[in-house]
Amino acid sequence: EAQVTQNPRYLITVTGKKLTVTCSQNMNHEYMSWYRQDPGLGLRQIYYSMNVEVTDKGDVPEGYKVSRKEKRNFPLILESPSPNQTSLYFCASSRTSGRLFFGPGTRLTVL
Amino acid sequence: EDQVTQSPEALRLQEGESSSLNCSYTVSGLRGLFWYRQDPGKGPEFLFTLYSAGEEKEKERLKATLTKKESFLHITAPKPEDSATYLCAVIETSGSRLTFGEGTQLTVNP
C-alpha cells in the first residue's frame, strides 16, 4: 500500500530535550516536506526537499533541522524544543511538488 | 508573496442543501490550484488539481472550478460524511512550494 508513515504519532516532551520525528514514504517520490498545523494559522511549511541531499527552508524553519540522506526518509529534528513548537506536524511526499500525499500526523506537546 | 484566502471559515448545512466554498488566491503566475479534504486528526487527502481558468473537475458530489482569481468547490446534495475541513492550496509557476489557505470547516447535519 502506498503510504507516508510518521513516528511517533503522539509525543509529550520537555523544553530542551532533543527529539526526532521520522518520516518515510514507499512511493519513490523525489519531493518531501514537513508542515506544522496550528489553529487559526493553517498549514505552514517548515522544510522541504526536492531530492536526496537537497533541502531548503519553508516558511517557518526556525528551531528545526532536517536531513535527506535516503530518498524514502526525511526526519524532522528539534535540537532544543520549546513550548511554541507544540503543534500538529505532517510529513508529505510527492513525485513533483504539486499533489502531496500526507502522513497521519504527529501531535507534539512541549512542556 | 503568494496568498490564499478561504471563505467562509465554517459552514453548516442540512443534508441535501447544496452550497459552495470559495478560495481566492494571489500569485504572480499560477502553476496549479489544489483542493484537499482533511478529517479531524488526520492528514489532508487530495481531491483535485486545476491548472487553468475555466477548468472544472468533478468527483461524486464535489465539483471544483477555477477562474483567474478564485476557485470554488461546489457541493451538491451533501451528506453527513462530507463533513470535513476543505483546504485550498496554490503553487506558482516559478515556485516549488504549496501555499495553503486556512480551510473551510464544513458540517453537514442529517
Side-chain angles (χ1 to χ4, degrees):
Chain A
E1 181 190 352
Q3 60 182 350
V4 178
T5 56
Q6 296 178 226
N7 282 292
R9 295 288 315 281
Y10 303 91
L11 179 59
I12 300 174
T13 189
V14 295
T15 298
K17 186 176 181 183
K18 180 179 178 179
L19 67 93
T20 299
V21 184
T22 64
C23 173
S24 183
Q25 50 94 5
N26 63 0
M27 294 168 278
N28 201 37
H29 286 162
E30 285 79 23
Y31 183 91
M32 297 187 74
S33 182
W34 276 102
Y35 291 85
R36 61 178 288 173
Q37 188 172 39
D38 302 287
L41 296 174
L43 274 166
R44 294 179 293 167
Q45 191 178 50
I46 304 170
Y47 269 95
Y48 65 99
S49 169
M50 300 293 285
N51 214 324
V52 176
E53 302 291 0
V54 180
T55 63
D56 209 345
K57 296 178 181 178
D59 299 312
V60 288
E62 295 77 22
Y64 304 95
K65 284 175 60 177
V66 293
S67 68
R68 187 93 182 271
K69 296 186 177 135
E70 305 166 285
K71 197 172 188 179
R72 63 182 294 130
N73 296 323
F74 191 45
L76 179 69
I77 302 156
L78 284 71
E79 295 268 2
S80 183
S82 62
N84 64 11
Q85 293 178 298
T86 292
S87 186
L88 180 58
Y89 291 86
F90 289 103
C91 180
S93 73
S94 176
R95 197 165 53 83
T96 59
S97 54
R99 175 181 173 173
L100 292 173
F101 291 81
F102 283 84
T106 294
R107 189 167 291 281
L108 172 65
T109 301
V110 184
L111 302 174
Chain B
E1 183 182 318
D2 299 349
Q3 282 195 315
V4 180
T5 304
Q6 292 188 245
S7 61
E9 288 184 19
L11 180 63
R12 192 176 292 270
L13 300 173
Q14 288 298 124
E15 184 171 2
E17 179 186 1
S18 301
S19 188
S20 297
L21 314 182
N22 178 263
C23 171
S24 298
Y25 63 90
T26 304
V27 293
S28 53
L30 181 70
R31 177 147 69 98
L33 184 142
F34 301 81
W35 281 98
Y36 288 83
R37 169 192 169 125
Q38 186 175 22
D39 293 301
K42 295 190 175 181
E45 187 178 311
F46 171 81
L47 291 172
F48 303 109
T49 309
L50 300 166
Y51 295 104
S52 56
E55 190 175 359
E56 298 183 352
K57 294 271 179 74
E58 278 190 73
K59 180 180 178 180
E60 296 181 355
R61 295 175 293 282
L62 301 177
K63 183 168 82 171
T65 62
L66 181 66
T67 72
K68 288 188 176 179
K69 292 185 178 180
E70 57 191 350
S71 176
F72 292 93
L73 185 65
H74 307 278
I75 303 175
T76 303
K79 298 182 178 182
E81 53 261 43
D82 295 323
S83 297
T85 295
Y86 291 85
L87 300 169
C88 172
V90 299
I91 186 167
E92 63 175 1
T93 50
S94 60
S96 55
R97 302 189 290 147
L98 279 177
T99 299
F100 281 86
E102 291 185 31
T104 293
Q105 185 176 358
L106 174 67
T107 303
V108 182
N109 295 315

